[in-house]
Amino acid sequence: MERAVAVLLFVPFILGTVLVFAVVIRRLLGVRVGRVRTLLAALLALFTTAPVLAALAPPDPRTVSGGEAFLLGTAAVVISALLAMAVLVILEVLLPTGSLPGPVELWRGARRRVARARRYSTIVRIALRHGLGRFLRGRPGDGPKSAVARRRLARSLRESLDEAGVTFVKLGQVLSTRAELLPAEFVEELTALQDRAAPVPWESVAAVLRAELGRPIDEAFAKVDPEPLAAASVAQVHSARLADGTPVVVKIQRPGIAAVVERDLDILQRLAGTLEDRTSWGRSFGARRLALAFAEALREELDFTVERDNLQTVAAALATSPDRGVRVPTPYVELSSERVLVMERLAGTPLGSAESTLAGLGTERRAAIAANLLDSMLDQVLVHGNFHADLHPGNLLVDDDGSLGMLDLGSVGRLDAGTRASIGQLLGAVGRGDSVAASDALLQLVDRPENVDERELQRAVGVLIVRYATPGSTVGVAAVGALLRTFTSYGLGVPAPVAAVFRAFATLEGTLALLRPGFDLLGQARAAGSRRITEAFAPDRLRGTVEEELAALLPTLRALPRRIDRIGDAVEHGRLRLNVRLFADDRDRLLVIGLLHQALLTIIGATCGVMAALLLGSGNGPRLSTGVALFPLLGYGLLIVAVVLVLRVLVVIFRRD
């Protein structure tokens, strides 16, 4: 009984002491460290106090007075706390706080790693089966040397991506539009990738629909056809009728597809980071940035509320533009959610299978429809800033009267006013054949490096204009690819919104060719650009443009006299000051911080070396045990610290990236 009472009293004392040590250690360090490691350091301090006290005490404890015992105890506590702090600092250097997950995160992370490892093995097996194993090793000289070998490799890559699933199929589709990154053989093969999948059984799809509606299906719809109109890798579409008989289409996300996409995106982002860290070509086109942009776009595609909002935005933009016979379906917001999208069913036939409908329209009517579609896209890009970024033939319906319906607005590009103005300037400069103005507009559109030869860029753009933009030229996609390759050769980075514009028009050319074979995309774009410039300077539009510019300049003009007066008054009374912000650039701050760190490490290392030499030359000092003295122990410890810090500085000095 007495022993149990003693244990009950001793445990709170131990816990209280540990907590006091933890609070003191965190206070003395002055930084926030993990609670678990702080408690472990406090336990270390508690358990080392007794040995330290025994080492400091004289051989005969009876000779120690009360005051000396207090001082020895305080010294033992302080030394133990310092040892715990040193261990804590070493832990922070080796394993910073937050680098190790907690138990729950560790368990979840282990499950994710197992699933990722299985997926890795599946992807590797697919690559090996299609003959891509030697390219995975990345050995020098493994690249294809001839056009035939490149085409064979491109076919193997396409088949591998097609077999790997939805995420990799969509990655291949995106890469097929990046002619500045891949050879022509790869672009041609990857363009053939189709986003298709076997239909999901109606029972599984109906479960998703019921869960998103929050009520039985027959309460929201009079009828839903169990047979899908179309089945893709992300969703499938069913025809339905509302309770009032209105025909609609219901787009339902495939069950479990979000988890599959997230797992594959995690793998892609890790691979992109490895490529950017270990290869020069990965750094040159920013593999990590491209992977992040692709992941963001694919996650938007999985959220049908984004497509719902895009439908409303594009519909509002089309309503304010001249009627060009182009529509988008109206969404039913009250029935839509993240995984279900209900929208109006447009009349018409998909363009890819509308040969008979197009044949009945006649050549001139088809040319007019193609021109109207191009004008509508230019309105979306140049005026409204919201445009359909993937208008391939499967996303366009053609009705018997020639009206068009745009589908699948999950991929919509968005442009700010400055980017729209620069694209308009580029079109106008190409129409005039002005390479100087075209290169200036391009430099406003792209991410330019610190040093770019603008004169040489003007010459290159002039060659492209002469080759592709002269009257009679019909090689639109080749012109886009050549322009993008020019960007890459001059180190110009293409922002994602601008790349989406180029991708949209490259895709649109194939659609226009189906509407009207031989349609001159560049010629019509030049004519449309010139027409818009002429309209902008027409008398009825010029007055409005001037008024808008004056309204924007008016606040500055009104404040200008007051500012000039303030500057003159400050000069007259000797109060003129210039505020200069030092180290405004992050790179400058990082450089100075790095230099300061190296200087501090050098000073601390030198100081530790001097202190170690002094301690090693000062005798043994107090003995911690029979064979261990205090001064040599501290001296050798400081010597080790000095050597480590000096070596750390020398590595930075002599390392060559």
Side-chain angles (χ1 to χ4, degrees):
M1 185 64 181
E2 293 179 356
R3 179 175 297 179
V5 173
V7 170
L8 290 176
L9 294 176
F10 182 70
V11 170
F13 173 75
I14 293 295
L15 292 177
T17 306
V18 169
L19 291 176
V20 170
F21 265 121
V23 172
V24 171
I25 289 171
R26 293 185 74 172
R27 278 286 186 179
L28 291 176
L29 282 178
V31 294
R32 295 184 62 85
V33 293
R35 293 186 178 91
V36 175
R37 60 183 62 196
T38 304
L39 291 176
L40 291 176
L43 285 172
L44 175 64
L46 178 64
F47 290 125
T48 56
T49 300
V52 172
L53 180 60
L56 295 177
D60 187 3
R62 292 174 296 180
T63 61
V64 179
S65 64
E68 292 174 340
F70 175 76
L71 292 176
L72 288 175
T74 303
V77 170
V78 172
I79 292 174
S80 299
L82 291 176
L83 288 174
M85 290 171 61
V87 170
L88 197 57
V89 170
I90 293 173
L91 277 176
E92 284 294 316
V93 172
L94 299 177
L95 297 171
T97 297
S99 59
L100 290 179
V104 177
E105 290 80 6
L106 189 62
W107 169 249
R108 293 176 179 172
R111 294 179 61 185
R112 286 194 297 268
R113 282 192 292 273
V114 170
R116 187 166 57 242
R118 291 175 180 171
R119 183 60 173 160
Y120 266 129
S121 63
T122 302
I123 294 171
V124 170
R125 286 198 302 270
I126 292 172
L128 293 176
R129 188 161 55 249
H130 290 281
L132 299 178
R134 60 195 181 98
F135 299 100
L136 295 177
R137 294 190 294 268
R139 294 179 179 175
D142 276 346
K145 300 297 189 300
S146 64
V148 175
R150 286 195 297 272
R151 187 170 297 279
R152 189 182 304 117
L153 175 59
R155 187 179 304 111
S156 299
L157 177 61
R158 175 181 59 78
E159 293 171 352
S160 300
L161 293 175
D162 199 5
E163 187 177 346
V166 49
T167 308
F168 294 90
V169 168
K170 291 190 175 296
L171 176 64
Q173 291 174 337
V174 171
L175 290 177
S176 68
T177 64
R178 302 304 298 267
E180 81 278 18
L181 302 179
L182 296 176
E185 295 85 358
F186 286 81
V187 172
E188 183 179 349
E189 279 291 336
L190 294 179
T191 303
L193 279 171
Q194 298 296 322
D195 186 10
R196 60 185 182 275
V200 178
W202 169 245
E203 292 76 15
S204 301
V205 175
V208 175
L209 183 56
R210 279 192 298 269
E212 294 298 310
L213 290 174
R215 50 179 165 160
I217 297 176
D218 54 8
E219 291 185 8
F221 300 95
K223 179 184 178 182
V224 179
D225 189 355
E227 291 297 323
L229 291 173
S233 53
V234 169
Q236 62 187 43
V237 179
H238 293 258
S239 63
R241 287 187 178 276
L242 298 179
D244 60 0
T246 304
V248 295
V249 293
V250 185
K251 184 176 180 180
I252 308 169
Q253 192 175 113
R254 297 174 74 93
I257 193 64
V260 174
V261 169
E262 284 297 332
R263 181 191 59 197
D264 287 348
L265 287 178
D266 180 44
I267 292 174
L268 282 176
Q269 289 173 343
R270 290 173 182 271
L271 290 175
T274 302
L275 287 175
E276 187 164 328
D277 293 337
R278 297 185 180 181
T279 63
S280 58
W281 58 270
R283 287 189 296 272
S284 65
F285 66 79
R288 186 179 284 109
R289 176 173 52 84
L290 287 177
L292 289 174
F294 171 71
E296 181 181 357
L298 190 52
R299 289 190 181 103
E300 279 195 3
E301 189 172 343
L302 288 174
D303 185 357
F304 291 171
T305 60
V306 175
E307 183 174 355
R308 178 199 67 196
D309 297 340
N310 291 339
L311 286 170
Q312 294 176 311
T313 302
V314 174
L318 292 176
T320 59
S321 297
D323 185 8
R324 306 188 189 277
V326 180
R327 294 184 58 203
V328 295
T330 302
Y332 290 84
V333 178
E334 66 279 2
L335 296 175
S336 301
S337 64
E338 290 187 3
R339 296 196 296 167
V340 171
L341 178 61
V342 181
M343 50 190 162
E344 173 190 7
R345 183 169 185 176
L346 298 179
T349 307
L351 179 59
S353 55
E355 294 86 356
S356 59
T357 303
L358 294 175
L361 293 173
T363 303
E364 293 185 1
R365 176 61 176 157
R366 291 172 66 174
I369 294 172
N372 285 336
L373 178 59
L374 176 60
D375 282 343
S376 176
M377 279 293 293
L378 289 172
D379 284 341
Q380 295 173 43
V381 171
L382 298 177
V383 179
H384 305 292
N386 290 283
F387 61 94
H388 198 307
D390 190 23
L391 201 57
H392 59 76
N395 285 338
L396 198 68
L397 296 178
V398 183
D399 202 0
D400 294 336
D401 61 355
S403 61
L404 303 175
M406 292 193 297
L407 305 178
D408 193 7
L409 273 79
S411 178
V412 168
R414 300 176 182 87
L415 301 174
D416 60 89
T419 303
R420 299 200 302 270
S422 298
I423 293 175
Q425 293 170 11
L426 175 62
L427 284 176
V430 170
R432 300 190 306 271
D434 188 347
S435 62
V436 176
S439 62
D440 289 342
L442 286 175
L443 289 175
Q444 294 176 17
L445 286 172
V446 300
D447 298 328
R448 56 184 296 174
E450 294 182 356
N451 298 316
V452 59
D453 191 342
E454 295 189 20
R455 186 178 296 274
E456 189 64 30
L457 177 63
Q458 291 172 5
R459 294 194 185 99
V461 172
V463 170
L464 291 179
I465 291 176
V466 171
R467 181 177 179 182
Y468 295 110
T470 52
S473 177
T474 59
V475 283
V477 173
V480 171
L483 183 61
L484 294 176
R485 285 191 293 273
T486 301
F487 289 164
T488 303
S489 63
Y490 284 90
L492 304 174
V494 184
V498 178
V501 174
F502 290 123
R503 182 170 69 248
F505 280 99
T507 305
L508 181 64
E509 184 182 41
T511 303
L512 294 173
L514 281 178
L515 280 171
R516 173 65 172 90
F519 185 81
D520 185 2
L521 172 63
L522 285 179
Q524 291 291 333
R526 285 195 306 269
S530 300
R531 185 168 63 253
R532 279 169 170 75
I533 293 174
T534 303
E535 292 174 355
F537 287 98
D540 56 337
R541 295 282 300 276
L542 185 60
R543 179 178 177 181
T545 303
V546 172
E547 289 178 351
E548 291 175 0
E549 293 295 330
L550 288 177
L553 287 174
L554 187 59
T556 303
L557 294 175
R558 292 181 61 183
L560 189 59
R562 185 168 61 255
R563 291 178 179 177
I564 294 176
D565 182 65
R566 288 178 180 175
I567 293 174
D569 183 70
V571 171
E572 181 180 356
H573 294 87
R575 296 194 305 267
L576 183 63
R577 293 178 298 176
L578 296 177
N579 293 327
V580 179
R581 182 181 175 186
L582 298 176
F583 310 120
D585 196 315
D586 290 339
R587 292 171 295 180
D588 295 337
R589 289 196 294 271
L590 290 176
L591 175 62
V592 173
I593 290 172
L595 293 175
L596 286 175
H597 285 174
Q598 298 305 319
L600 288 174
L601 287 177
T602 304
I603 294 172
I604 294 172
T607 304
C608 290
V610 172
M611 292 176 65
L614 293 175
L615 287 171
L616 291 175
S618 300
N620 293 328
R623 289 201 168 271
L624 301 178
S625 64
T626 305
V628 179
L630 179 61
F631 287 176
L633 179 62
L634 293 177
Y636 285 117
L638 289 173
L639 183 61
I640 293 173
V641 173
V643 172
V644 170
L645 294 179
V646 171
L647 289 177
R648 188 182 178 97
V649 175
L650 291 177
V651 164
V652 175
I653 292 174
F654 292 107
R655 182 178 60 189
R656 295 180 179 178
D657 293 329

